[in-house]
Amino acid sequence: MGDMTNSDFYSKNQRNESSHGGEFGCTMEELRSLMELRGTEAVVKIKETYGDTEAICRRLKTSPVEGLPGTAPDLEKRKQIFGQNFIPPKKPKTFLQLVWEALQDVTLIILEIAAIISLGLSFYHPPGEGNEGDLLPADGLFIQGNDLKIDESSLTGESDQVRKSVDKDPMLLSGTHVMEGSGRMLVTAVGVNSQTGIIFTLLGAGGEEEEKKDKKGVKKGDGLQLPATDGAAASNAADSANASLVNGKMQDGNVDASQSKAKQQDGAAAMEMQPLKSAEGGDADDRKKASMHKKEKSVLQGKLTKLAVQIGKAGLVMSAITVIILVLYFTVDTFVVNKKPWLPECTPVYVQYFVKFFIIGVTVLVVAVPEGLPLAVTISLAYSVKKMMKDNNLVRHLDACETMGNATAICSDKTGTLTTNRMTVVQAYVGDVHYKEIPDPSSINTKTMELLVNAIAINSAYTTKILPPEKEGALPRQVGNKTECGLLGFVLDLKQDYEPVRSQMPEEKLYKVYTFNSVRKSMSTVIKLPDESFRMYSKGASEIVLKKCCKILNGAGEPRVFRPRDRDEMVKKVIEPMACDGLRTICVAYRDFPSSPEPDWDNENDILNELTCICVVGIEDPVRPEVPEAIRKCQRAGITVRMVTGDNINTARAIAIKCGIIHPGEDFLCLEGKEFNRRIRNEKGEIEQERIDKIWPKLRVLARSSPTDKHTLVKGIIDSTHTEQRQVVAVTGDGTNDGPALKKADVGFAMGIAGTDVAKEASDIILTDDNFSSIVKAVMWGRNVYDSISKFLQFQLTVNVVAVIVAFTGACITQDSPLKAVQMLWVNLIMDTFASLALATEPPTETLLLRKPYGRNKPLISRTMMKNILGHAVYQLALIFTLLFVGEKMFQIDSGRNAPLHSPPSEHYTIIFNTFVMMQLFNEINARKIHGERNVFDGIFRNPIFCTIVLGTFAIQIVIVQFGGKPFSCSPLQLDQWMWCIFIGLGELVWGQVIATIPTSRLKFLKEAGRLTQKEEIPEEELNEDVEEIDHAERELRRGQILWFRGLNRIQTQIRVVKAFRSSLYEGLEKPESRTSIHNFMAHPEFRIEDSQPHIPLIDDTDLEEDAALKQNSSPPSSLNKNNSAIDSGINLTTDTSKSATSSSPGSPIHSLETSL
């Protein structure tokens, strides 16, 4: 795992360790680096450094039997030195911080400035006026116990249980589950120093401690910074140095991990843990960036900010022009045309005019800014989040909701997300018949049925059972070994019951049990029959058990001869087709023994032979019934679904076909993790974006993948510029190791049921039902949010364009705005607030999934929307200016133009205001459609909020006009005048149809707005952060290369010097083999890098034998300095000489050539 001696801790802890160094024989730092090792590597380290676990107990002053002394001073001292078993939660933001963040909105800033200016001007007064297993709470070493099996899937992503033993693999990790057996452990790391704590720290928990530490100015090293804590939580049970693990007695299950597999798995675990610790960087700068890390702006946020700036600039220009025109008009008219002199006593009057012009300018600016926009966004997101909860999406970050609408790719787990995570028998071969689905119980012979039920019920762990569902309508709960649960489920599907069989033959009556292990690959149980004879039931992998069968039950339930050729035919016709369907085949068999002589039960070869096959079943983790349709919807919506799983490639491919992720005849890639790594890395072992770009567009299945591969794939797709639109990636994950990928993704989905706390902490949305179809609902809601904002923008900007132009031209031509300030307030603020509520609460429809994602680069205001905005603005402006200049003649009323300063409100201007509001009301109905649809009433009654708001606004408008009087500058209107206003408003709906007939493709001159460019989207510091964010293997390799090339440089320089002193150097050398090596180097100082067969270290390279073979073929010098940890750069270095260069061994000078970082 690498040495952790460069890591930083709290200065306090360092002081404690130095001051208490004599009291305990191990420091916290040593213990934590020990816990990072796995399997045999850990055993070797314990033997070399400490001797054995008992020696560690002695050093830690604890008893392997009694535990800690438990005295208060002792516990307090341990807390100070080793920390508490408490991971500090991330500090929530205060209300004021949230308010401050909200005030950063560009729209609000513009409005705040306008408000301050207006407030300042208001003070101006001119003169003269007035899971199932037990959870491990801490890291530790296994001291003693029985058959202890741990589920480490939460940390490693591997589903197989790992057998723990003192001599093979004693490492126990916090956050993992005890599945079988019992044991005693020595606690070595708690809280933030445990493996789970380290990952939590990386994901932001305890971040404030890091800040405190940074303030203290502690010198930073190369290692990972991990805060200890003085958290207030009381020390829990794990503060004692001993904890007991008990989960009852459980027989070895059918899918127990073999020892060799466990070793491989440990290797995988060790390798997989690495990138996590360095995912956010290994040096001081990276750490600083990690602590300051701010998530990239969501797609919608970025576009809205850009649009608000564009609108703000346009409003500023308009308001400035308004003020300039008004001032020029006034000065020219007063001092040039009328030739009035500037009299000192008239100065206050002139200043009052200029102040009025400035206020009109500010009004134009305020009208131009869509202040309802932040509210619309918040309402839309909040409403969606509340509704998404009903669709099993618990949204943790608001912006993730709309980002999901832009998703172009989903990288999904297989187990539990696409499948049910319940092993189920789906095919069976019984009585010479191959059933492609569960057979009807009546079709199976009663003798065969009895044998089958007994064989499954008795020959499985009695702790494995199927319990009734917790909720009505849910599936029955499976407890214990998954494969055995599948077989017991098969018994229940055949309308039989296994409980009576077990109660008749309790566990203590079982005569002999051959538990499942890697050698047998089967499990057998012997029982004594009433006639004193014996019967053995056996089950296991079909290819193993069938070889031991000499008979098979026929349709009548009678045994018939089963020859090798019968077996070959069965493999071809039954087992291979099942395997092609991605099924795991299990054979169930039995054998009868006479009572005397009693067989020699220890002679397994004779006992486990001459079996009679009862049946062969095909077991799978079936695809969730709703998943294929959900994936079809995703694909139709332009979203590529990729499966990333730890399962083998055949099963993964079969499930992918059943789900509809891949279709026969398509051009797609299914890769294993190793192959994926080989393809994306160059000769130096570095990941190259160009190589990833060649793979990801066609990649559909990534099998046998580690969480690091998942992170690499997600990062590669997000960073890719291979396609025209930048990719927006969603990721599902449930394990602790999925944390970095969930964090890196644009939207991270954690599993609510199977997910670990770390995965949930790193995610944006939690799927409360662990179901893929819920992701499709999230896509629908995300697109709906985006469309709701677009609908509101279309409506708001039409209002703003018309209001600005009316205020601008009116002020310039008539020296007064036809729409008064209070009326503007009603139109712009109150009505737009209601409109944001009306348009932002539109429920989503399936039609949202019929179009492609907008992506990052598509503008917020499309050409169609721009056509609608400008088209309706033309209609509204034409009618308002008609009413403004000839309205008094049309209605035979007094003109409202050029009215004296304090004259009462005119009917003329009231009609203009009322017509304007009516047009907005009917245009609100038009705004419900943004893609040029004709039927604007489609689904209007499904949104009662919309109907209520439209009718409510209309009612309030009647009150304002009829009873508003002077405050609203309104004069009551007659019924016929009202009818005209409503008629002109209704014209909006007709005009909308006219606009819809104009093809957008013809209107090339229309500009789009709110487009995000890649550069503007990501701030510079975030770009730098992305550049730095390479995975651990890549960083290690780079460090290795730097060391190597510097070393080579030094060697070449030194060789020239050494030549002169060759003879004296030989005399000084003691080792003959060293002399040979140095001679080779000095005689031929030209080097070449051989990359014909580079050994690229793979993150998930768990194949130990292959690894060893590779190391024999290429043994590159692993270290250039005894102080440096071994770094394998995967490059062969040889001297260009006729003789073969001596291979570099730890004893050769190549290993001790001095260099420095």
Side-chain angles (χ1 to χ4, degrees):
M1 275 299 296
D3 209 14
M4 293 285 291
T5 49
N6 290 328
S7 295
D8 283 336
F9 304 101
Y10 279 131
S11 49
K12 189 182 108 183
N13 277 321
Q14 287 173 329
R15 285 201 306 276
N16 285 337
E17 284 177 23
S18 56
S19 62
H20 296 290
E23 295 186 34
F24 296 106
C26 325
T27 63
M28 181 176 73
E29 195 176 3
E30 288 167 2
L31 289 173
R32 210 180 62 216
S33 58
L34 172 66
M35 290 315 299
E36 284 156 9
L37 303 174
R38 300 284 179 276
T40 45
E41 200 181 354
V43 176
V44 170
K45 175 78 175 172
I46 291 168
K47 278 181 184 162
E48 282 179 0
T49 314
Y50 305 102
D52 56 15
T53 45
E54 286 195 16
I56 299 177
C57 290
R58 284 196 294 277
R59 288 197 188 198
L60 291 172
K61 299 185 179 173
T62 182
S63 157
V65 181
E66 302 297 327
L68 290 182
T71 58
D74 180 64
L75 290 174
E76 195 53 45
K77 197 185 297 170
R78 287 174 193 274
K79 266 189 227 175
Q80 284 180 346
I81 295 172
F82 300 112
Q84 276 187 295
N85 196 19
F86 169 73
I87 298 169
K90 205 171 181 180
K91 200 175 177 184
K93 287 177 181 167
T94 63
F95 176 70
L96 288 174
Q97 282 174 313
L98 292 169
V99 170
W100 178 248
E101 278 181 19
L103 290 174
Q104 307 303 309
D105 187 88
V106 181
T107 315
L108 289 178
I109 289 168
I110 296 168
L111 290 172
E112 284 155 17
I113 293 165
I116 291 163
I117 293 168
S118 297
L119 188 67
L121 292 172
S122 69
F123 291 115
Y124 174 74
H125 296 291
E129 278 197 32
N131 265 339
E132 305 299 332
D134 296 336
L135 188 74
L136 290 185
D139 288 0
L141 298 174
F142 181 52
I143 302 174
Q144 58 85 202
N146 304 309
D147 282 341
L148 183 65
K149 284 189 201 158
I150 305 286
D151 175 8
E152 293 188 348
S153 60
S154 62
L155 270 178
T156 64
E158 272 289 343
S159 56
D160 283 346
Q161 294 165 17
V162 182
R163 184 190 287 279
K164 296 291 176 182
S165 62
V166 178
D167 54 343
K168 297 257 177 68
D169 183 4
M171 313 313 272
L172 300 173
L173 304 172
S174 59
T176 58
H177 289 82
V178 180
M179 300 310 286
E180 293 184 22
S182 59
R184 197 180 288 272
M185 76 185 259
L186 168 70
V187 174
T188 53
V190 294
V192 287
N193 297 307
S194 66
Q195 294 301 298
T196 301
I198 287 168
I199 297 163
F200 253 119
T201 308
L202 283 176
L203 295 175
E208 62 276 12
E209 266 86 3
E210 281 188 43
E211 284 164 31
K212 280 183 209 159
K213 187 181 169 207
D214 286 346
K215 283 176 193 164
K216 286 180 191 169
V218 179
K219 184 174 174 288
K220 293 179 178 175
D222 277 1
L224 179 73
Q225 180 177 333
L226 287 162
T229 176
D230 302 320
S235 67
N236 87 22
D239 278 331
S240 69
N242 276 26
S244 284
L245 319 170
V246 183
N247 197 36
K249 237 167 85 183
M250 197 178 270
Q251 285 181 348
D252 286 352
N254 199 29
V255 283
D256 184 9
S258 64
Q259 284 301 333
S260 60
K261 189 158 183 182
K263 279 183 200 165
Q264 292 179 8
Q265 196 174 318
D266 296 335
M271 291 303 289
E272 283 170 8
M273 285 304 297
Q274 254 177 323
L276 270 177
K277 296 199 192 61
S278 303
E280 296 295 339
D283 57 26
D285 292 344
D286 285 345
R287 274 203 310 281
K288 206 175 280 176
K289 277 174 191 149
S291 60
M292 290 159 47
H293 178 68
K294 281 190 178 162
K295 201 154 186 179
E296 195 179 302
K297 270 186 180 171
S298 78
V299 178
L300 185 63
Q301 272 178 331
K303 290 179 180 179
L304 284 173
T305 305
K306 187 111 191 287
L307 188 66
V309 170
Q310 289 170 339
I311 293 169
K313 284 176 185 170
L316 207 58
V317 170
M318 289 292 279
S319 62
I321 293 171
T322 308
V323 173
I324 291 164
I325 288 174
L326 287 171
V327 171
L328 285 174
Y329 186 93
F330 175 77
T331 48
V332 169
D333 185 57
T334 308
F335 303 117
V336 178
V337 178
N338 296 327
K339 296 185 178 170
K340 286 183 183 176
W342 183 298
L343 298 170
E345 59 269 23
C346 293
T347 301
V349 180
Y350 296 148
V351 170
Q352 199 176 353
Y353 267 107
F354 290 138
V355 168
K356 182 188 170 189
F357 298 153
F358 188 77
I359 285 175
I360 289 172
V362 171
T363 307
V364 171
L365 173 63
V366 170
V367 166
V369 175
E371 60 279 306
L373 195 53
L375 182 68
V377 174
T378 308
I379 288 172
S380 185
L381 288 172
Y383 174 77
S384 301
V385 164
K386 192 166 179 285
K387 292 286 185 185
M388 282 170 79
M389 191 61 215
K390 290 180 181 171
D391 285 338
N392 302 307
N393 283 276
L394 174 60
V395 179
R396 295 181 70 245
H397 301 131
L398 270 181
D399 57 358
C401 175
E402 56 83 11
T403 306
M404 200 54 217
N406 291 300
T408 55
I410 297 173
C411 295
S412 174
D413 274 357
K414 176 181 76 71
T415 308
T417 311
L418 299 173
T419 61
T420 59
N421 195 18
R422 301 165 58 84
M423 294 309 270
T424 311
V425 173
V426 289
Q427 290 186 29
Y429 181 85
V430 193
D432 293 339
V433 183
H434 185 182
Y435 298 94
K436 292 289 176 124
E437 50 193 36
I438 301 294
D440 187 271
S442 59
S443 64
I444 298 175
N445 181 278
T446 48
K447 265 196 270 181
T448 308
M449 182 71 87
E450 190 186 343
L451 276 167
L452 179 61
V453 173
N454 283 335
I456 292 173
I458 294 168
N459 187 31
S460 57
Y462 277 37
T463 47
T464 302
K465 45 176 98 88
I466 298 196
L467 301 177
E470 285 175 337
K471 290 182 197 162
E472 207 176 319
L475 292 164
R477 284 178 298 145
Q478 293 188 344
V479 180
N481 184 295
K482 290 271 169 68
T483 306
E484 290 183 350
C485 282
L487 291 168
L488 291 176
F490 179 50
V491 170
L492 297 177
D493 289 341
L494 292 171
K495 308 286 186 289
Q496 306 296 312
D497 192 359
Y498 62 86
E499 285 294 354
V501 178
R502 284 185 171 179
S503 50
Q504 221 174 6
M505 180 60 67
E507 204 170 354
E508 56 271 17
K509 278 196 182 176
L510 300 179
Y511 198 79
K512 172 81 179 166
V513 177
Y514 297 93
T515 55
F516 182 95
N517 66 26
S518 57
V519 180
R520 292 190 193 112
K521 290 250 172 82
S522 66
M523 175 185 179
S524 304
T525 305
V526 180
I527 60 167
K528 205 166 193 179
L529 297 174
D531 63 0
E532 297 295 311
S533 65
F534 300 98
R535 176 170 288 168
M536 180 181 76
Y537 295 112
S538 201
K539 71 166 188 285
S542 56
E543 64 275 14
I544 304 289
V545 178
L546 279 177
K547 278 181 187 165
K548 296 173 179 174
C549 289
C550 63
K551 290 178 184 171
I552 188 167
L553 294 182
N554 61 17
E558 298 298 329
R560 67 170 171 82
V561 180
F562 187 62
R563 292 181 293 272
R565 69 162 178 268
D566 298 331
R567 185 172 63 237
D568 294 344
E569 192 179 343
M570 191 166 171
V571 166
K572 204 179 291 176
K573 291 190 176 170
V574 178
I575 291 166
E576 281 181 4
M578 282 186 181
C580 290
D581 289 340
L583 305 184
R584 186 187 202 163
T585 54
I586 305 279
C587 178
V588 180
Y590 78 101
R591 181 182 175 185
D592 286 329
F593 295 94
S595 55
S596 64
E598 187 173 332
D600 177 7
W601 300 114
D602 293 332
N603 186 353
E604 277 188 43
N605 287 340
D606 288 349
I607 299 291
L608 299 177
N609 220 330
E610 296 180 19
L611 304 175
T612 303
C613 172
I614 303 170
C615 72
V616 173
V617 293
I619 293 187
E620 72 167 352
D621 181 2
V623 171
R624 286 176 180 264
E626 63 277 16
V627 163
E629 179 57 25
I631 287 176
R632 200 157 41 248
K633 283 179 184 172
C634 280
Q635 289 165 343
R636 198 169 57 221
I639 301 167
T640 306
V641 181
R642 293 179 175 85
M643 182 201 288
V644 184
T645 177
D647 214 333
N648 71 69
I649 196 157
N650 295 327
T651 307
R653 194 188 285 114
I655 296 291
I657 290 169
K658 285 177 186 170
C659 290
I661 290 174
I662 54 180
H663 302 282
E666 274 187 0
D667 186 17
F668 59 79
L669 275 177
C670 292
L671 294 179
E672 284 196 336
K674 281 186 188 178
E675 179 61 21
F676 173 70
N677 270 285
R678 285 200 181 91
R679 290 197 188 194
I680 63 169
R681 293 176 189 272
N682 61 16
E683 294 78 22
K684 297 171 186 172
E686 294 169 334
I687 293 170
E688 286 185 355
Q689 185 63 46
E690 302 81 58
R691 287 170 179 254
I692 296 179
D693 286 346
K694 286 176 187 170
I695 290 173
W696 73 257
K698 288 184 181 179
L699 184 68
R700 292 294 176 273
V701 176
L702 185 57
R704 282 277 177 246
S705 65
S706 69
T708 314
D709 297 336
K710 194 178 197 174
H711 180 261
T712 306
L713 176 65
V714 171
K715 186 176 182 300
I717 297 175
I718 290 175
D719 293 349
S720 176
T721 51
H722 178 70
T723 50
E724 193 182 323
Q725 288 277 15
R726 270 197 63 202
Q727 296 285 305
V728 178
V729 183
V731 167
T732 70
D734 53 7
T736 299
N737 262 9
D738 290 326
L742 289 168
K743 199 93 168 159
K744 178 67 194 168
D746 293 288
V747 183
F749 285 91
M751 300 299 140
I753 301 166
T756 60
D757 288 345
V758 174
K760 289 174 188 173
E761 179 68 26
S763 70
D764 302 294
I765 298 175
I766 295 172
L767 297 177
T768 54
D769 63 346
D770 289 12
N771 197 334
F772 185 85
S773 60
S774 300
I775 298 175
V776 181
K777 301 256 178 67
V779 172
M780 213 156 74
W781 275 107
R783 291 187 176 191
N784 193 55
V785 167
Y786 196 97
D787 279 10
S788 296
I789 304 303
S790 298
K791 288 171 189 176
F792 175 73
L793 267 175
Q794 181 173 294
F795 171 74
Q796 169 105 56
L797 292 181
T798 309
V799 177
N800 287 20
V801 166
V802 174
V804 167
I805 294 173
V806 168
F808 173 71
T809 50
C812 295
I813 296 166
T814 66
Q815 301 298 293
D816 189 16
S817 173
L819 298 171
K820 300 293 179 281
V822 181
Q823 294 172 352
M824 282 285 197
L825 188 69
W826 161 241
V827 169
N828 211 43
L829 193 66
I830 313 298
M831 194 170 155
D832 287 356
T833 306
F834 286 164
S836 68
L837 191 60
L839 292 167
T841 53
E842 286 271 329
T845 60
E846 289 279 336
T847 52
L848 288 166
L849 297 173
L850 298 178
R851 62 167 173 78
K852 296 279 182 277
Y854 289 136
R856 292 178 190 267
N857 307 348
K858 191 171 169 66
L860 196 57
I861 298 174
S862 63
R863 274 218 182 91
T864 307
M865 286 169 66
M866 195 63 88
K867 176 184 78 174
N868 292 341
I869 291 166
L870 297 179
H872 288 293
V874 166
Y875 173 81
Q876 293 181 17
L877 287 170
L879 282 157
I880 284 170
F881 285 134
T882 304
L883 289 174
L884 179 60
F885 296 112
V886 294
E888 72 276 17
K889 293 172 188 167
M890 289 164 63
F891 289 100
Q892 281 106 39
I893 48 174
D894 294 335
S895 171
R897 292 191 305 280
N898 303 319
L901 198 62
H902 296 294
S903 58
S906 66
E907 278 183 307
H908 183 197
Y909 274 21
T910 304
I911 287 172
I912 293 172
F913 165 60
N914 200 28
T915 306
F916 179 67
V917 171
M918 288 302 118
M919 288 193 290
Q920 303 320 320
L921 265 182
F922 287 102
N923 191 35
E924 199 171 326
I925 297 170
N926 278 328
R928 291 184 67 246
K929 304 294 173 190
I930 53 171
H931 300 298
E933 300 94 328
R934 286 197 173 276
N935 185 5
V936 291
F937 292 99
D938 180 36
I940 195 166
F941 295 114
R942 278 195 326 202
N943 187 2
I945 297 175
F946 183 88
C947 302
T948 310
I949 285 172
V950 170
L951 295 172
T953 310
F954 183 64
I956 297 169
Q957 179 65 17
I958 294 171
V959 173
I960 289 172
V961 170
Q962 297 305 109
F963 310 105
K966 189 147 188 168
F968 280 92
S969 304
C970 287
S971 172
L973 299 179
Q974 305 300 318
L975 185 62
D976 62 325
Q977 292 168 336
W978 263 103
M979 296 316 290
W980 274 108
C981 293
I982 292 168
F983 177 73
I984 292 167
L986 272 166
E988 268 286 4
L989 295 174
V990 180
W991 186 248
Q993 296 300 312
V994 173
I995 292 170
T997 55
I998 302 167
T1000 313
S1001 53
R1002 296 273 179 89
L1003 308 173
K1004 294 275 195 254
F1005 60 88
L1006 286 181
K1007 289 271 185 275
E1008 300 162 321
R1011 178 190 288 278
L1012 259 186
T1013 56
Q1014 211 166 315
K1015 234 182 212 169
E1016 288 162 329
E1017 184 193 10
I1018 305 167
E1020 196 179 333
E1021 66 271 11
E1022 289 184 23
L1023 267 176
N1024 293 345
E1025 190 176 86
D1026 268 1
V1027 171
E1028 289 296 320
E1029 194 183 355
I1030 55 177
D1031 71 34
H1032 187 78
E1034 194 173 339
R1035 181 176 294 107
E1036 284 296 305
L1037 291 166
R1038 282 190 184 172
R1039 199 184 299 161
Q1041 285 143 27
I1042 292 165
L1043 283 169
W1044 265 106
F1045 296 132
R1046 285 184 186 171
L1048 288 177
N1049 249 345
R1050 288 262 177 118
I1051 295 166
Q1052 287 172 334
T1053 313
Q1054 288 166 359
I1055 279 165
R1056 285 195 281 272
V1057 180
V1058 167
K1059 274 184 179 176
F1061 301 100
R1062 191 182 298 171
S1063 54
S1064 60
L1065 184 67
Y1066 283 160
E1067 287 162 20
L1069 283 172
E1070 292 171 12
K1071 291 184 183 176
E1073 70 271 17
S1074 300
R1075 191 151 58 236
T1076 324
S1077 284
I1078 288 278
H1079 175 70
N1080 281 340
F1081 260 72
M1082 291 186 308
H1084 304 275
E1086 304 148 34
F1087 300 98
R1088 71 172 187 272
I1089 289 172
E1090 281 191 357
D1091 53 3
S1092 55
Q1093 272 190 314
H1095 170 222
I1096 299 161
L1098 298 170
I1099 290 164
D1100 66 342
D1101 198 343
T1102 56
D1103 195 339
L1104 303 177
E1105 291 167 22
E1106 187 182 329
D1107 216 35
L1110 278 165
K1111 279 179 184 165
Q1112 280 171 8
N1113 295 341
S1114 66
S1115 50
S1118 317
S1119 176
L1120 295 167
N1121 187 332
K1122 284 177 181 173
N1123 299 325
N1124 291 329
S1125 57
I1127 294 161
D1128 182 352
S1129 71
I1131 295 170
N1132 291 347
L1133 187 75
T1134 60
T1135 50
D1136 193 5
T1137 172
S1138 51
K1139 297 174 193 172
S1140 63
T1142 308
S1143 68
S1144 58
S1145 61
S1148 75
I1150 306 173
H1151 271 260
S1152 54
L1153 287 166
E1154 190 177 335
T1155 186
S1156 60
L1157 265 170

